[in-house]
């Protein structure tokens, strides 16, 4: 999928440039394209290099959290809920523990730990699946929850906002939390409706109702604030919560008698490796998007959406963030590069950049997640997983746009 997207960007940009050259007489377009290729590749390298320190910091801290057992503690809290929403999985089956650990790692932003546990969970669920080429109900629900991307700490987005000069990088913390919560709820309810899950029992109601009340209470608090104070309050709370997590991780490590310094160093080394590893991917996508921008393709897409939504009488400022939303289900690296490009074009503190960051954090790369997890167990018939996940994506994007206007 990513292969066709990436190649398609260049071919479409070439066709647009050819049109400008032959029909509009713009002979400088070829120089602009070549300059964009070189400048965007240099930008991608500089961004990746400058992210190294922040990546090392957070992966070091998350390694402490993992070794201190915070992931396992969260897993224990979620286990009673999982036993009821996955009725096909027998009590005590190892798949339950793997799924809970995967979700706990995702919530804490431990992507490196989440993916292996997720693949292990899929393999264990496959042993219970009577139709090996068709996804079971448990596998579908597990996938949709994964694809809807509940993440408590959107580290990557905060890093890019900080690197690109946002005055309050953590101002998107609360909007992302609200948007991703709505995305996950919609995805879960969609699967529950399709599978006719009995979610109206005391345990499930307590979990979902409690979480909904908490998020609703926080949303009410921010909605009650004057518009001029919401963005500042989001930044203050975001910074407080993030620093609170840092203290929690270190305190938990000390309580478990870990060598927190050495544990931090081992995780930080992974951060350096990841920073180097993402350079070619970021170069590839930023160059492709740069030629789309210079060729006028992105401007035409944005203009088309602007005219459509303007005809409906809507405010169209959010339209400049829609390219990120359109790419998000297809390519995580593509959407990330589009978010960066939006920040560079309009400014990191602009409304389009603010909205693009929230859109980026509201959902997961649906097609990639489904391809990796179902491909690992050779499932070709995914059933309701794709439509339910895409519905969750749509809900997350709409929520992201709404909260962008509410907070900005």
């Amino acid at each position: 999928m990513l292969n066709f997207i990436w190649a398609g960007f260049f071919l479409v940009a070439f066709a647009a440039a050819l049109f400008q050259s032959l029909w509009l007489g713009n002979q400088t377009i070829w120089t602009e394209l070549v300059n964009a290729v070189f400048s965007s590749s240099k930008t991608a390298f500089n961004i990746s290099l400058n992210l190294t320190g922040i990546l090392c910091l957070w992966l070091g801290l998350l390694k402490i959290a993992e070794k201190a057992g915070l992931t396992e503690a969260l897993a224990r809290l979620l286990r009673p809920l999982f036993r009821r929403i996955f009725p096909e999985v027998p009590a005590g089956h190892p798949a339950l523990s793997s799924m809970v650990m995967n979700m706990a790692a995702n919530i804490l932003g431990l992507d490196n730990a989440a993916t292996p546990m997720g693949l292990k969970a899929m393999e264990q669920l496959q042993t219970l699946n009577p139709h090996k080429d068709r996804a079971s109900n448990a596998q579908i629900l597990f996938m949709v929850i994964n694809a809807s991307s509940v993440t408590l700490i959107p580290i990557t987005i905060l890093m890019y906002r900080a690197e690109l000069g946002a005055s309050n990088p953590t101002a998107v913390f609360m909007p992302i939390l609200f948007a991703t919560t709505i995305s996950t709820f919609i995805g879960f309810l969609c699967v529950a409706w399709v599978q006719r899950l009995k979610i109206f029992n005391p345990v499930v109601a307590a979990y979902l109702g409690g979480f909904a009340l908490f998020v609703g209470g926080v949303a009410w608090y921010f909605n009650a604030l004057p518009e001029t104070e919401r963005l500042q309050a989001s930044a203050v709370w975001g910074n407080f919560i993030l620093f609170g997590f840092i203290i929690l991780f270190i305190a938990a490590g000390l309580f478990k008698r870990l060598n927190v310094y050495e544990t931090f160093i081992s995780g930080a080394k992974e951060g350096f490796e990841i920073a180097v590893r993402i350079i070619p991917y970021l170069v590839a996508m930023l160059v492709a998007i740069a030629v789309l921008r210079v060729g006028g393709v992105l401007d035409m897409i944005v203009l088309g959406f602007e005219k459509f939504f303007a005809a409906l009488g809507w405010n169209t400022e959010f339209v400049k963030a829609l390219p990120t939303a359109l790419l998000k289900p297809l390519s995580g690296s593509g959407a990330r590069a589009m978010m960066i490009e939006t920040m560079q074009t309009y400014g990191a503190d602009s409304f389009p950049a603010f909205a693009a960051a929230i859109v980026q954090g509201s959902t997961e790369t649906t097609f990639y997640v489904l391809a990796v997890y179902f491909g690992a167990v050779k499932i070709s018939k995914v059933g309701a997983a794709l439509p339910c996940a895409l519905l969750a994506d749509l809900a997350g994007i709409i929520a992201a746009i709404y909260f962008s206007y509410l907070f900005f």
Side-chain angles (χ1 to χ4, degrees), residues 86 115 118-123 125-126 129 131-147 191 195 365-389:
F86 294 99
T115 301
L119 293 174
K120 184 177 180 180
M122 284 297 288
E123 292 172 357
L125 289 173
Q126 187 71 345
N129 187 2
H131 309 286
K132 299 303 182 184
D133 65 333
R134 186 168 68 229
S136 67
N137 285 343
Q139 288 172 317
I140 289 172
L141 179 56
F142 178 59
M143 276 297 89
V144 172
I145 294 175
N146 254 274
V191 177
Q195 298 182 359
T365 312
T366 297
F367 286 95
Y368 172 80
V369 170
L370 265 64
V372 169
Y373 281 78
F374 283 132
V377 290
K378 299 180 181 179
I379 288 177
S380 57
K381 300 174 183 177
V382 300
L386 182 57
C388 288

Side-chain angles (χ1 to χ4, degrees), residues 297-339:
V297 178
L298 283 183
D299 292 336
M300 287 188 288
I301 293 173
V302 170
L303 182 62
F305 277 115
E306 280 183 340
K307 289 185 177 297
F308 174 75
F309 288 114
L312 297 176
W314 294 12
N315 182 300
T316 58
E317 274 297 298
F318 74 93
V319 170
K320 297 180 179 66
L322 283 186
T324 301
L326 295 175
L327 269 180
K328 184 61 179 178
L330 300 170
S331 166
S333 57
R336 181 172 59 248
M338 190 66 75
M339 176 190 70

Side-chain angles (χ1 to χ4, degrees), residues 36-109:
V37 167
F38 287 110
S39 64
S40 58
S41 60
K42 181 180 179 181
T43 298
F45 176 79
N46 288 335
I47 289 173
S48 300
L49 190 63
N50 292 333
L51 282 175
T52 304
I54 306 175
L55 269 172
C56 289
L57 169 67
W58 276 104
L59 285 181
L61 291 169
L62 291 172
K63 178 66 73 174
I64 295 173
E66 183 182 1
K67 295 293 185 182
L70 292 180
T71 308
E72 175 59 32
L74 184 56
R76 285 197 298 270
L77 288 175
L78 293 174
R79 202 164 281 133
L81 171 66
F82 273 52
R83 284 203 301 266
R84 286 160 178 83
I85 64 175
F86 294 99
E88 297 177 354
V89 182
H93 194 278
L96 284 173
S97 295
S98 297
M99 286 190 290
V100 172
M101 292 291 287
N102 167 264
M103 298 300 173
N106 272 327
I107 290 171
L108 293 176

Side-chain angles (χ1 to χ4, degrees), residues 187-210:
F188 172 75
L189 293 176
C190 179
V191 177
W193 179 75
V194 170
Q195 298 182 359
R196 292 178 172 80
L197 290 175
K198 297 178 181 179
I199 59 174
F200 299 105
N201 65 70
V203 175
V204 176
Y207 273 92
L208 300 185

